[in-house]
Amino acid sequence: PLSNTMNTAPYYRFLRPATFVPRLLFYVAMILVFAFQESPGNVALLAFVIAMVAASVDLMKGDFEALRWFGLHCRYDVVKVLPSRVFACRRVGACYSEDIFGSRPKVDEVVSGFFPWEHDHVLIADIQGILMELRPMQLDDWLAIYDQNVVGSEALSFLSLDMFNNEMPTQRAIQEELDLILKAKLSMKYANR
Protein backbone atom coordinates (compact mmCIF):
# COMPACT_ATOMS: atom_id res chain seq x y z
CA PRO A 1 0.00 0.00 0.00
CA LEU A 2 0.87 3.64 0.47
CA SER A 3 3.51 3.09 3.17
CA ASN A 4 5.39 0.61 0.96
CA THR A 5 5.15 2.89 -2.07
CA MET A 6 6.44 5.91 -0.17
CA ASN A 7 9.25 4.04 1.60
CA THR A 8 11.83 5.35 -0.86
CA ALA A 9 14.36 8.16 -0.58
CA PRO A 10 12.42 10.78 -2.59
CA TYR A 11 9.06 10.14 -0.88
CA TYR A 12 9.57 8.96 2.72
CA ARG A 13 9.38 12.48 4.17
CA PHE A 14 5.87 12.88 2.73
CA LEU A 15 4.45 9.67 4.22
CA ARG A 16 3.05 11.24 7.40
CA PRO A 17 1.42 14.21 5.62
CA ALA A 18 -0.06 11.87 2.99
CA THR A 19 -1.58 9.58 5.63
CA PHE A 20 -2.69 12.33 8.03
CA VAL A 21 -6.28 12.71 6.76
CA PRO A 22 -7.01 8.93 6.62
CA ARG A 23 -5.58 8.47 10.12
CA LEU A 24 -7.56 11.45 11.45
CA LEU A 25 -10.77 10.06 9.90
CA PHE A 26 -10.04 6.70 11.53
CA TYR A 27 -9.61 8.37 14.93
CA VAL A 28 -12.89 10.26 14.48
CA ALA A 29 -14.64 7.03 13.45
CA MET A 30 -13.34 5.31 16.61
CA ILE A 31 -14.69 8.14 18.75
CA LEU A 32 -18.10 8.09 17.01
CA VAL A 33 -18.45 4.30 17.27
CA PHE A 34 -17.62 4.42 20.95
CA ALA A 35 -19.84 7.46 21.63
CA PHE A 36 -22.93 5.81 20.09
CA GLN A 37 -22.58 2.50 21.90
CA GLU A 38 -25.45 2.01 24.34
CA SER A 39 -23.54 0.58 27.26
CA PRO A 40 -19.88 -0.14 26.61
CA GLY A 41 -18.37 -2.62 28.99
CA ASN A 42 -15.19 -2.18 31.03
CA VAL A 43 -13.10 -4.02 28.43
CA ALA A 44 -14.45 -1.83 25.61
CA LEU A 45 -13.78 1.31 27.69
CA LEU A 46 -10.22 0.18 28.44
CA ALA A 47 -9.61 -0.64 24.76
CA PHE A 48 -10.98 2.77 23.73
CA VAL A 49 -8.75 4.61 26.24
CA ILE A 50 -5.67 2.66 25.09
CA ALA A 51 -6.51 3.38 21.42
CA MET A 52 -6.98 7.11 22.12
CA VAL A 53 -3.69 7.30 24.08
CA ALA A 54 -1.92 5.55 21.19
CA ALA A 55 -3.54 7.92 18.69
CA SER A 56 -2.49 10.94 20.77
CA VAL A 57 1.09 9.69 21.02
CA ASP A 58 1.09 9.04 17.27
CA LEU A 59 -0.07 12.60 16.55
CA MET A 60 2.30 14.27 19.02
CA LYS A 61 5.43 12.16 18.56
CA GLY A 62 4.83 11.35 14.92
CA ASP A 63 3.11 14.17 13.08
CA PHE A 64 4.14 17.12 15.24
CA GLU A 65 7.77 15.96 15.45
CA ALA A 66 7.86 15.30 11.70
CA LEU A 67 6.52 18.80 11.11
CA ARG A 68 8.94 20.30 13.65
CA TRP A 69 12.02 18.74 12.03
CA PHE A 70 10.89 18.84 8.38
CA GLY A 71 13.33 21.69 7.68
CA LEU A 72 16.29 19.39 8.43
CA HIS A 73 15.61 17.17 5.43
CA CYS A 74 18.44 17.36 2.94
CA ARG A 75 20.48 15.40 0.47
CA TYR A 76 24.22 15.10 -0.05
CA ASP A 77 25.95 15.44 -3.41
CA VAL A 78 29.36 13.73 -3.54
CA VAL A 79 32.08 16.24 -4.42
CA LYS A 80 35.11 13.99 -3.99
CA VAL A 81 35.61 10.31 -3.21
CA LEU A 82 38.30 9.76 -0.58
CA PRO A 83 39.95 6.50 0.53
CA SER A 84 38.30 3.98 2.86
CA ARG A 85 34.74 4.82 1.80
CA VAL A 86 34.90 8.42 2.95
CA PHE A 87 33.23 11.09 0.83
CA ALA A 88 33.50 14.85 0.74
CA CYS A 89 29.94 15.99 0.07
CA ARG A 90 27.90 19.14 -0.37
CA ARG A 91 24.76 19.32 1.76
CA VAL A 92 21.73 20.57 -0.19
CA GLY A 93 18.89 21.67 2.11
CA ALA A 94 18.67 21.80 5.91
CA CYS A 95 19.97 25.36 5.89
CA TYR A 96 19.26 25.80 9.64
CA SER A 97 21.01 22.63 10.80
CA GLU A 98 24.01 24.58 12.08
CA ASP A 99 21.72 26.61 14.34
CA ILE A 100 20.66 23.36 15.99
CA PHE A 101 23.79 21.19 15.85
CA GLY A 102 26.52 23.83 15.74
CA SER A 103 28.70 24.92 12.88
CA ARG A 104 31.07 22.53 11.18
CA PRO A 105 34.75 23.36 11.39
CA LYS A 106 36.64 23.51 8.11
CA VAL A 107 38.36 20.34 7.01
CA ASP A 108 41.96 20.90 5.99
CA GLU A 109 42.84 20.50 2.31
CA VAL A 110 45.41 17.87 3.34
CA VAL A 111 42.51 15.61 4.37
CA SER A 112 39.77 16.61 1.93
CA GLY A 113 41.91 17.06 -1.17
CA PHE A 114 40.23 20.26 -2.29
CA PHE A 115 39.92 23.92 -1.39
CA PRO A 116 37.99 25.97 -0.36
CA TRP A 117 36.01 24.07 2.28
CA GLU A 118 32.63 25.82 2.47
CA HIS A 119 29.99 25.83 5.20
CA ASP A 120 27.82 23.30 3.35
CA HIS A 121 30.62 20.75 2.84
CA VAL A 122 30.66 17.64 5.03
CA LEU A 123 32.72 14.48 5.34
CA ILE A 124 30.57 11.35 5.25
CA ALA A 125 32.01 7.93 6.08
CA ASP A 126 30.43 4.60 5.23
CA ILE A 127 31.41 2.53 8.25
CA GLN A 128 30.18 -1.03 7.79
CA GLY A 129 27.05 0.20 6.03
CA ILE A 130 26.24 3.02 8.45
CA LEU A 131 26.67 6.55 7.10
CA MET A 132 28.22 8.96 9.59
CA GLU A 133 29.28 12.58 9.41
CA LEU A 134 32.88 13.14 10.41
CA ARG A 135 33.79 16.41 12.07
CA PRO A 136 37.29 17.63 12.89
CA MET A 137 38.27 17.39 16.54
CA GLN A 138 38.14 20.69 18.44
CA LEU A 139 39.97 21.72 21.61
CA ASP A 140 36.98 20.69 23.78
CA ASP A 141 37.04 17.23 22.19
CA TRP A 142 40.76 16.79 22.89
CA LEU A 143 40.29 17.97 26.50
CA ALA A 144 37.43 15.51 27.01
CA ILE A 145 39.60 12.67 25.66
CA TYR A 146 42.45 13.76 27.93
CA ASP A 147 40.12 13.77 30.94
CA GLN A 148 38.70 10.39 30.02
CA ASN A 149 42.05 8.71 29.40
CA VAL A 150 44.55 10.43 31.69
CA VAL A 151 42.46 11.81 34.55
CA GLY A 152 39.79 9.09 34.54
CA SER A 153 42.15 6.26 33.52
CA GLU A 154 39.57 4.92 31.07
CA ALA A 155 40.65 3.09 27.95
CA LEU A 156 39.75 5.04 24.81
CA SER A 157 37.41 3.51 22.27
CA PHE A 158 37.99 4.56 18.69
CA LEU A 159 37.56 3.40 15.16
CA SER A 160 40.31 3.90 12.62
CA LEU A 161 39.39 4.39 8.98
CA ASP A 162 43.02 3.85 7.86
CA MET A 163 42.75 6.58 5.24
CA PHE A 164 46.36 7.69 5.55
CA ASN A 165 49.66 6.07 6.47
CA ASN A 166 53.39 6.91 6.34
CA GLU A 167 53.56 6.24 2.58
CA MET A 168 50.34 8.17 1.84
CA PRO A 169 50.15 10.87 4.53
CA THR A 170 47.80 13.25 2.68
CA GLN A 171 45.01 13.24 0.13
CA ARG A 172 47.39 14.91 -2.32
CA ALA A 173 49.85 11.99 -2.02
CA ILE A 174 47.04 9.53 -2.68
CA GLN A 175 45.87 11.51 -5.70
CA GLU A 176 49.43 11.69 -7.09
CA GLU A 177 49.76 7.91 -6.69
CA LEU A 178 46.43 7.35 -8.45
CA ASP A 179 47.51 9.69 -11.28
CA LEU A 180 50.77 7.71 -11.69
CA ILE A 181 48.86 4.42 -11.82
CA LEU A 182 46.42 5.85 -14.38
CA LYS A 183 49.31 7.14 -16.56
CA ALA A 184 51.05 3.77 -16.35
CA LYS A 185 47.87 1.94 -17.37
CA LEU A 186 47.32 4.31 -20.27
CA SER A 187 50.91 3.98 -21.49
CA MET A 188 50.64 0.17 -21.28
CA LYS A 189 47.37 0.29 -23.20
CA TYR A 190 48.91 2.35 -26.01
CA ALA A 191 52.13 0.31 -25.99
CA ASN A 192 50.16 -2.91 -26.59
CA ARG A 193 48.48 -1.52 -29.74
Side-chain angles (χ1 to χ4, degrees):
L2 187 61
S3 60
N4 289 339
T5 304
M6 296 188 82
N7 193 18
T8 59
Y11 303 116
Y12 78 95
R13 69 187 79 170
F14 302 112
L15 178 61
R16 290 205 75 86
T19 60
F20 180 75
V21 171
R23 285 182 291 116
L24 191 61
L25 290 174
F26 178 73
Y27 301 151
V28 169
M30 279 193 328
I31 293 168
L32 291 175
V33 166
F34 186 78
F36 290 111
Q37 279 188 346
E38 288 186 19
S39 57
N42 290 339
V43 174
L45 178 62
L46 179 63
F48 177 74
V49 169
I50 290 172
M52 287 295 99
V53 167
S56 299
V57 169
D58 177 57
L59 283 173
M60 287 188 288
K61 289 309 232 175
D63 294 295
F64 294 146
E65 289 295 311
L67 184 62
R68 178 179 170 201
W69 299 110
F70 194 80
L72 292 179
H73 285 271
C74 64
R75 74 172 197 271
Y76 295 95
D77 295 335
V78 175
V79 176
K80 187 167 184 74
V81 177
L82 303 172
S84 301
R85 303 203 42 84
V86 176
F87 307 92
C89 300
R90 178 179 304 277
R91 185 187 70 243
V92 179
C95 58
Y96 299 110
S97 65
E98 279 144 13
D99 296 342
I100 296 167
F101 300 110
S103 63
R104 290 173 178 82
K106 293 184 185 245
V107 175
D108 195 289
E109 181 183 4
V110 169
V111 174
S112 68
F114 70 94
F115 180 83
W117 188 267
E118 297 175 8
H119 77 282
D120 57 350
H121 285 137
V122 293
L123 280 181
I124 303 285
D126 178 351
I127 301 173
Q128 296 183 0
I130 299 172
L131 298 178
M132 299 181 172
E133 180 183 343
L134 304 178
R135 290 185 173 204
M137 299 275 288
Q138 300 299 298
L139 179 60
D140 291 344
D141 301 318
W142 290 111
L143 292 174
I145 287 174
Y146 177 83
D147 287 344
Q148 178 184 349
N149 187 249
V150 177
V151 177
S153 298
E154 291 181 44
L156 293 177
S157 297
F158 65 92
L159 179 65
S160 172
L161 296 178
D162 295 329
M163 286 179 61
F164 305 111
N165 56 37
N166 289 337
E167 291 80 34
M168 301 290 174
T170 66
Q171 175 59 29
R172 180 173 289 133
I174 292 170
Q175 191 61 49
E176 289 170 357
E177 181 72 17
L178 291 173
D179 290 344
L180 285 174
I181 292 170
L182 182 61
K183 286 178 186 176
K185 284 183 178 180
L186 287 173
S187 65
M188 288 176 60
K189 180 180 176 182
Y190 289 118
N192 291 335
R193 285 187 176 188

